[in-house]
Amino acid sequence: MEITSLEQLDAIRYDLDGNGLADSYSDAQAYAAAFPEIAAAEACKGCAGYELAGPLDFQHPGSYASGEVNPAWLSGSGWMPIAPHYVYGSPHDTSSGFKAVFDGNGHTISNLYVRRTLADDSRIGGDDRKAVGLFGVVHETGILRRIGMVDVDVGVTNYEDAGGLVGVNGGQIHYSYVDGSITGVYGAGGLTGENYGTILASYTRGSVSGEAMVGGLSGYNKGEIVASYTKAQVSGGSEVGGLVGYNHGKVLASYAANRPRAYEEEAGGLIGARLGVAFASYWDTQVSGHESSVSSDSHLGISGLTTSELQQPTQAAGIYELWRADLDNADGDYNLDTGREDVWDFGDSAQYPALKVDFNGDGISTWWEFGDQGRDLPSPLPLLSAEPTPTHVPIPTLPIPTYLIEYDSDGDGLIEINNLEQLDAIRYDLDGNGIVDDDSTIAAAVYGSAFPTLSTGGLCSGDCKGYELARSLDFRKGSCYASGVVNESWVSGSGWLPIGSRGVAFNATFNGNEHSISGLYINRRTLLDSPNAIGLFGVAGESSFIHNARLIEAQVTGLNTIGGLAGVNEGQIVNSHVQGSITSVQHAAGGLVAVNIGELAAVSSQASVLGGWHIVGGLVSSNAGVIRASYATGNVSGNGWVGGLIGTNQGQVRESYATGYVYSGWENSGGLIGVNSGAVVSGYATGKVCGGRDSGGLVGVNTADGVISDSYATGSVNGSYNVGGLLGTNGPGIFGHSVQPGKVTTSYSVGAVSGVESVGGFIGANGGIVLDSAWDSETSMQLTASGEGVIEGAHTATTADLQSLDTGGIFANWIGHRWDFGDDNQYPALKADMDGNGTATWQEFGSQSRVVPASSPPAHCD
């Protein structure tokens, strides 16, 4: 049955066996609305599934039968996965999954958007689980083939099993690919969260992040992965692998060319943990930065190779000798020489192997029919009457051209910036390949003036991937300009125009090389001169990688969405710092970034941050991504949703802290986070908090679905209503929905607390869950855990109790590897590996004062 609209794609959830008849009588009307002719004929005789008749785009009205974009699929919770339920087990029971054929016919589905949240209790509790992707669950009889997923945006909190195409696969996935961003928790993969079936000739690009079991192709594998690869960037806590996070199955004739990162244990170049069976499979040791394939068990049959070793073969020989063999025993005769599969194109000696397929039906398989695999297309395209023969391109022996020596002297593929005119010019080359994006006369003239070259192919003949600072720059010094004269328009008036914006984001690498950019000045307060995101970079896209950047004495002011380094981050920012002042006239101001939906690691802000209205954070105003090993020390103020580190958090925060003074004129102020509906693990705050309603030493409001563990606060808190040493309010769940109460475990507070109504030593108003936590009744000057609501899991403790070394008392269930209990005159402190040497200590995790804080609360908020 042919699918011609997104309404019909949505309706196949009512016919999971693909016979053209709604599975349930209650769903018959909804199915008939999408497929009236099939419904009128009372099923489709002989049908066994669905196929795309053309490409579909969630953002394009032409993809809808109604002719209008459905906003519910582009915001809020977004798309509801087809067949999301399964029963937990080993393997999972996928009987409620999709049981038919879904054939993409080589067409693409673009801009899938999913945001789902499930409280931690639901994951740990009952056996009924949910999975997320275009499809949630595919049954063992289900077949997905020839599907292209482009610009996928899947973000889930406390959900297990998230993938760009499928959450849990029990069937077959053939000749399919995903390009986009996947953010999960347990079981996150670019193609599928967990695989119990077969994945053949498929690949992924983009980025994948999660808590555990995180892989570029599949988070967990207990099935077979054959002739597949990934170039997706991968990050997570534990069991992180380039291709597969946790493997109990088979991996054959596959590879990973990406950089997996793990912040709790070693990541694996190919597989994160428990290698089942792997054969003739490889990972790039240079790109990955990992000499080890796997963090545990043996690694027989797979190898780490350099980039040139992986790219050098131009045919199925050498390391690829077996890649054309019948590795999956498709014909059942266990003979490698029969039933050969020819799915690989080995390109030239400067290219990774790519997958090829016949999507256009001409009988010839080519790699350029199979999505964007990161290769330059042949120009012109060869005639399709015969299969093209890859041309071997030898490694050049000629001297490096002069222009490459000048602009990339170290040969790392990054164009070197020596002056501010060159820094400005990268706005005309947002993909960083050294070629102007816009062929307009103005763009070419400005870029050519900053980077003059005799080459007709651009600075690096298109081979570069971004930019790097060759020295420190100061907007206020003439010596930092190629002209030798300070550009007054960059230090006065509206100041600097951010690089990249929504729709035309910066999508390359920027390496600050630990050099500083001083005196950044932006003053864009009106609708006429304010872009939609403000910082040194306006929008850093999902393919961006900014690292080793330093902003000193920055003065950044704008209308909305203001950050020092970037207004919006969709990619990765690592080891970067901002110092100065950040101000928003209306809302959304963060010291480093305003809105983060990507990953921030080892970043910091020493900026003072002022928000005119609400959503203000010392580091980030709003987080829906991942923040780890980061901190903020500046003072933060606004009218609502104000946090020393983050204004509002829907994502993941780990090993991070804030020390600045926090002020909120209206509501929702916290030493670390103003409003939390995500996950916070190993965080602390030491700054004084002054606010109105819902003020807490760590978090102002922990909403339903918010989870806080292994965290503490020491700062004094002064507010009006719902005021607590750790939280202002811990929210209840929503009855009859999957939204669970806010949850706090193994945490404590010691700061002095004062307020008008609903004041508690630990929480001002509690409607959620508290387990194995405590507050100091002496230093807080509060004898009750909460001012409103009952708390059963928070222990009243004296200073001596909290400084006791008796880990069998209130600390009995605390996770030892995160805590250092000191001596009998010290409060517990958190340990973290901030310097990346593999050893976590409390001394390197900021300035943790372990002594008794001042006992008197602030008399007023200044």
Side-chain angles (χ1 to χ4, degrees):
M1 291 167 282
E2 294 178 347
I3 293 175
T4 60
S5 69
L6 287 167
E7 288 91 342
Q8 289 181 334
L9 178 66
D10 178 61
I12 72 175
R13 70 180 66 251
Y14 306 121
D15 175 29
L16 297 179
D17 58 5
N19 64 357
L21 185 67
D23 299 328
S24 169
Y25 179 81
S26 61
D27 296 327
Q29 185 175 356
Y31 182 82
F35 295 101
E37 294 181 0
I38 297 173
E42 296 182 344
C44 174
K45 295 181 180 180
C47 285
Y50 296 83
E51 63 180 345
L52 292 183
L56 296 175
D57 188 336
F58 281 89
Q59 295 183 1
H60 197 288
S63 294
Y64 293 81
S66 65
E68 296 180 357
V69 171
N70 185 344
W73 288 342
L74 295 176
S75 61
S77 297
W79 174 259
M80 170 60 75
I82 297 168
H85 293 274
Y86 68 93
V87 178
Y88 181 78
S90 183
H92 298 330
D93 180 355
T94 61
S95 58
S96 60
F98 181 74
K99 302 176 178 66
V101 174
F102 183 85
D103 193 336
N105 279 324
H107 299 302
T108 57
I109 298 174
S110 302
N111 293 301
L112 172 71
Y113 174 86
V114 182
R115 290 291 184 274
R116 297 284 159 181
T117 301
L118 188 70
D120 196 56
D121 280 353
S122 296
R123 183 184 63 78
I124 296 175
D127 290 330
D128 183 17
R129 311 292 177 86
K130 294 182 180 180
V132 173
L134 179 70
F135 291 82
V137 178
V138 174
H139 184 253
E140 63 183 11
T141 60
I143 299 174
L144 307 184
R145 65 193 183 205
R146 305 194 301 172
I147 305 165
M149 303 291 296
V150 179
D151 293 330
V152 170
D153 185 1
V154 174
V156 299
T157 302
N158 290 337
Y159 253 80
E160 293 187 12
D161 308 318
L165 182 60
V166 183
V168 172
N169 174 50
Q172 300 180 53
I173 301 175
H174 296 173
Y175 299 99
S176 297
Y177 66 94
V178 173
D179 192 340
S181 171
I182 314 298
T183 301
V185 183
Y186 300 99
L191 191 75
T192 179
E194 293 194 38
N195 176 54
Y196 295 89
T198 300
I199 297 173
L200 173 66
S202 298
Y203 71 92
T204 60
R205 299 183 67 188
S207 63
V208 184
S209 62
E211 182 72 29
M213 297 191 299
V214 187
L217 193 80
S218 182
Y220 177 86
N221 176 50
K222 202 171 184 178
E224 291 189 349
I225 297 175
V226 183
S228 298
Y229 76 90
T230 183
K231 294 182 180 178
Q233 300 306 310
V234 183
S235 62
S238 59
E239 299 156 357
V240 178
L243 189 79
V244 177
Y246 201 103
N247 182 48
H248 273 169
K250 299 179 180 179
V251 177
L252 308 173
S254 300
Y255 76 93
N258 55 3
R259 187 172 183 84
R261 297 179 175 91
Y263 49 80
E264 287 187 354
E265 62 185 30
E266 181 185 357
L270 189 75
I271 295 169
R274 279 300 295 273
L275 186 62
V277 175
F279 190 66
S281 297
Y282 313 103
W283 77 97
D284 190 319
T285 57
Q286 291 175 289
V287 171
S288 71
H290 293 282
E291 294 294 329
S292 173
S293 64
V294 62
S295 60
S296 65
D297 290 352
S298 64
H299 40 93
L300 181 64
I302 60 178
S303 301
L305 301 172
T306 65
T307 302
S308 62
E309 288 172 330
L310 286 171
Q311 294 180 343
Q312 193 69 30
T314 58
Q315 57 182 328
I319 61 174
Y320 300 129
E321 182 69 31
L322 295 175
W323 277 31
R324 293 189 191 273
D326 183 20
L327 292 174
D328 67 344
N329 193 36
D331 52 12
D333 65 358
Y334 295 95
N335 186 340
L336 291 175
D337 293 323
T338 61
R340 289 177 177 271
E341 299 160 348
D342 187 6
V343 299
W344 291 103
D345 181 284
F346 294 91
D348 60 38
S349 59
Q351 293 176 324
Y352 292 105
L355 291 166
K356 57 184 181 179
V357 69
D358 179 20
F359 276 165
N360 61 11
D362 67 348
I364 301 172
S365 297
T366 64
W367 63 265
W368 53 84
E369 293 179 67
F370 199 3
D372 180 6
Q373 298 189 65
R375 285 182 173 181
D376 292 330
L377 290 172
S379 181
L381 285 173
L383 296 175
L384 299 181
S385 57
E387 186 161 347
T389 300
T391 302
H392 177 78
V393 179
I395 298 174
T397 57
L398 297 175
I400 299 175
T402 302
Y403 68 89
L404 283 182
I405 296 176
E406 181 179 357
Y407 295 121
D408 184 18
S409 61
D410 54 5
D412 63 355
L414 298 178
I415 301 166
E416 289 152 4
I417 294 173
N418 285 280
N419 56 61
L420 288 165
E421 287 91 342
Q422 290 179 337
L423 179 65
D424 176 62
I426 71 176
R427 70 181 67 252
Y428 301 109
D429 175 30
L430 296 174
D431 58 6
N433 64 357
I435 301 173
V436 177
D437 301 326
D438 187 349
D439 59 2
S440 70
T441 303
I442 294 176
V446 174
Y447 190 84
S449 176
F451 296 103
T453 177
L454 297 177
S455 171
T456 59
L459 294 187
C460 305
S461 296
D463 292 332
C464 284
K465 58 185 179 182
Y467 294 83
E468 63 181 335
L469 288 183
R471 65 179 181 123
S472 295
L473 298 173
D474 192 327
F475 280 90
R476 300 160 298 189
K477 294 182 179 180
S479 60
C480 293
Y481 292 80
S483 65
V485 179
V486 172
N487 185 336
E488 292 298 327
S489 66
W490 288 346
V491 295
S492 61
S494 296
W496 177 260
L497 180 65
I499 298 169
S501 61
R502 298 182 193 271
V504 284
F506 177 76
N507 272 302
T509 294
F510 180 84
N511 186 354
N513 280 322
E514 305 290 347
H515 297 304
S516 62
I517 298 175
S518 301
L520 173 68
Y521 174 82
I522 301 175
N523 187 22
R524 297 177 176 271
R525 299 170 176 264
T526 70
L527 289 172
L528 295 177
D529 66 357
S530 181
N532 48 32
I534 290 177
L536 178 68
F537 294 90
V539 178
E542 61 182 21
S543 299
S544 65
F545 179 41
I546 299 172
H547 59 131
N548 306 324
R550 300 284 183 269
L551 293 184
I552 306 298
E553 297 178 340
Q555 298 182 58
V556 180
T557 302
L559 197 61
N560 296 310
T561 317
I562 318 301
L565 188 58
V568 176
N569 174 55
E570 300 172 345
Q572 290 183 312
I573 300 178
V574 177
N575 189 33
S576 296
H577 175 78
V578 172
Q579 180 269 326
S581 62
I582 311 297
T583 303
S584 68
V585 175
Q586 293 184 351
H587 64 267
L592 186 90
V593 170
V595 177
N596 177 55
I597 56 178
E599 180 181 5
L600 305 179
V603 298
S604 58
S605 169
Q606 197 179 353
S608 60
V609 185
L610 173 63
W613 293 357
H614 60 285
I615 314 181
V616 188
L619 188 77
V620 173
S621 67
S622 177
N623 176 54
V626 176
I627 299 175
R628 57 186 177 87
S630 299
Y631 66 89
T633 62
N635 296 334
V636 186
S637 62
N639 280 319
W641 303 52
V642 183
L645 190 78
I646 304 168
T648 175
N649 175 55
Q650 297 173 295
Q652 301 177 40
V653 182
R654 302 181 62 90
E655 289 88 33
S656 298
Y657 66 93
T659 64
Y661 165 70
V662 176
Y663 171 83
S664 172
W666 297 340
E667 60 185 0
N668 304 343
S669 56
L672 192 75
I673 299 171
V675 176
N676 176 59
S677 57
V680 179
V681 181
S682 293
Y684 72 87
T686 63
K688 180 174 71 174
V689 177
C690 284
R693 188 181 186 93
D694 298 319
S695 297
L698 190 79
V699 174
V701 175
N702 188 43
T703 71
D705 283 342
V707 178
I708 299 169
S709 63
D710 299 305
S711 299
Y712 72 89
T714 64
S716 60
V717 186
N718 186 319
S720 57
Y721 302 94
N722 303 342
V723 186
L726 193 83
L727 304 179
T729 294
N730 192 30
I734 300 178
F735 182 74
H737 295 73
S738 63
V739 180
Q740 301 298 311
K743 185 176 181 180
V744 180
T745 63
T746 52
S747 300
Y748 75 92
S749 65
V750 301
V753 183
S754 63
V756 177
E757 186 176 316
S758 298
V759 180
F762 194 64
I763 298 176
N766 181 53
I769 299 170
V770 178
L771 300 173
D772 299 309
S773 298
W775 88 100
D776 191 322
S777 59
E778 295 178 319
T779 58
S780 69
M781 303 178 67
Q782 299 293 329
L783 297 178
T784 58
S786 66
E788 179 182 336
V790 177
I791 300 181
E792 296 180 352
H795 305 283
T796 178
T798 64
T799 301
D801 292 334
L802 280 173
Q803 295 183 340
S804 170
L805 296 178
D806 180 12
T807 56
I810 58 177
F811 303 131
N813 295 320
W814 289 34
I815 301 175
H817 72 266
R818 288 188 178 137
W819 291 99
D820 182 286
F821 293 97
D823 58 35
D824 57 5
N825 290 310
Q826 293 179 320
Y827 289 109
L830 287 165
K831 297 186 292 186
D833 180 16
M834 302 292 276
D835 58 12
N837 67 352
T839 302
T841 66
W842 71 268
Q843 291 91 342
E844 64 188 283
F845 194 10
S847 177
Q848 299 186 72
S849 176
R850 309 185 70 165
V851 300
V852 177
S855 61
S856 59
H860 62 279
C861 292
D862 49 4

